[in-house]
Amino acid sequence: MIVRDPIPVYGKKLLTVEEYLDYERKATEKHEYYKGEVFAMAGAGRRHNILFSNLFGELTLQLRGKSCKPYGSDMRLHIPENTLFTYPDISIYCSDSKWLDDDNALEPTVLIEILSPSTKDYDRGGKFRLYRQIPTLKEYVLIDTESVNIETFRLNSSGNWELEEQTDLESILKITSLSLNIPVREIYTGTKLIS
């Protein structure tokens, strides 16, 4: 959940990037940064964590020995084009990705967000608009926590984003930029959304 009230830090409303990074190194909770404002990010529920574990495990297995690696929500992403610092649920970076430093990644190939009722509008709307400014991003995947529903936005050869949706447990999540195929049933196992 994104709490849209800026956190007052150092008695200021707006922070520089350096102030934010210094604040974040000392913080016990994660915060998003955008144009000087800092927003608290709440933790995830049980179903969110099950979906994360299932999908991250599949990605780790399928990418083992390859030049791309998945990272969890502790990896902070920075988008210099719009100033955003955030923590995607899962991000995949390849060997040619650039990094600001060991704590801040710059160029993901794939971003995955696991939706919750409080974040789904932001993840589909404002956050996706900011993510689209990442020059290396090829696919953006949204995993619903309330129903079996996966939306994959994929950049086509014309530079437009196309949507592919899976709502059937027998379908396959395809991350075509990395030649990955993950059964939807495997992602939702243990969530009580399937019997």
Side-chain angles (χ1 to χ4, degrees):
M1 179 175 97
I2 300 294
V3 178
R4 284 289 165 198
D5 291 326
I7 302 227
V9 181
Y10 304 121
K12 300 166 71 169
K13 281 285 191 187
L14 297 179
L15 299 182
T16 66
V17 167
E18 294 76 20
E19 288 170 332
Y20 161 73
L21 292 173
D22 182 56
Y23 175 71
E24 202 67 354
R25 277 188 284 278
K26 299 170 188 168
T28 56
E29 298 172 347
K30 295 177 196 167
H31 301 87
E32 190 169 84
Y33 173 94
Y34 181 63
K35 294 189 175 178
E37 292 184 284
V38 177
F39 305 95
M41 300 179 75
R46 182 171 181 267
R47 190 176 292 164
H48 182 287
N49 280 296
I50 291 169
L51 289 164
F52 170 84
S53 296
N54 291 345
L55 182 53
F56 193 81
E58 288 290 327
L59 291 169
T60 300
L61 286 173
Q62 292 194 30
L63 290 171
R64 182 169 288 145
K66 298 185 179 176
S67 65
C68 299
K69 303 255 180 271
Y71 292 86
S73 61
D74 286 334
M75 179 54 64
R76 188 170 46 237
L77 166 66
H78 176 49
I79 307 172
E81 290 79 5
N82 57 41
T83 77
L84 181 68
F85 281 88
T86 191
Y87 297 85
D89 289 318
I90 299 174
S91 48
I92 301 175
Y93 296 89
C94 298
S95 58
D96 56 352
S97 296
K98 292 187 175 115
W99 298 74
L100 183 62
D101 53 38
D102 283 346
D103 298 324
N104 297 283
L106 293 174
E107 295 183 341
T109 300
V110 177
L111 292 174
I112 300 169
E113 295 287 3
I114 300 170
L115 304 176
S116 68
S118 60
T119 65
K120 63 184 177 183
D121 291 339
Y122 175 57
D123 288 337
R124 282 191 179 109
K127 189 176 247 186
F128 186 30
R129 277 192 297 280
L130 297 171
Y131 281 171
R132 288 195 305 257
Q133 294 180 23
I134 302 169
T136 58
L137 187 64
K138 304 288 184 233
E139 287 172 276
Y140 181 48
V141 181
L142 299 168
I143 312 287
D144 195 4
T145 57
E146 298 181 295
S147 65
V148 176
N149 189 305
I150 300 175
E151 299 167 294
T152 303
F153 293 90
R154 191 172 293 119
L155 194 60
N156 66 22
S157 58
S158 302
N160 297 311
W161 289 92
E162 295 178 344
L163 170 63
E164 181 179 357
E165 190 169 12
Q166 285 84 35
T167 57
D168 179 359
L169 285 171
E170 305 313 316
S171 62
I172 303 291
L173 167 61
K174 296 177 184 177
I175 301 178
T176 58
S177 61
L178 302 177
S179 301
L180 301 177
N181 295 300
I182 301 169
V184 170
R185 182 174 291 280
E186 293 299 318
I187 296 168
Y188 280 93
T189 295
T191 62
K192 297 188 178 178
L193 291 172
I194 62 174
S195 44

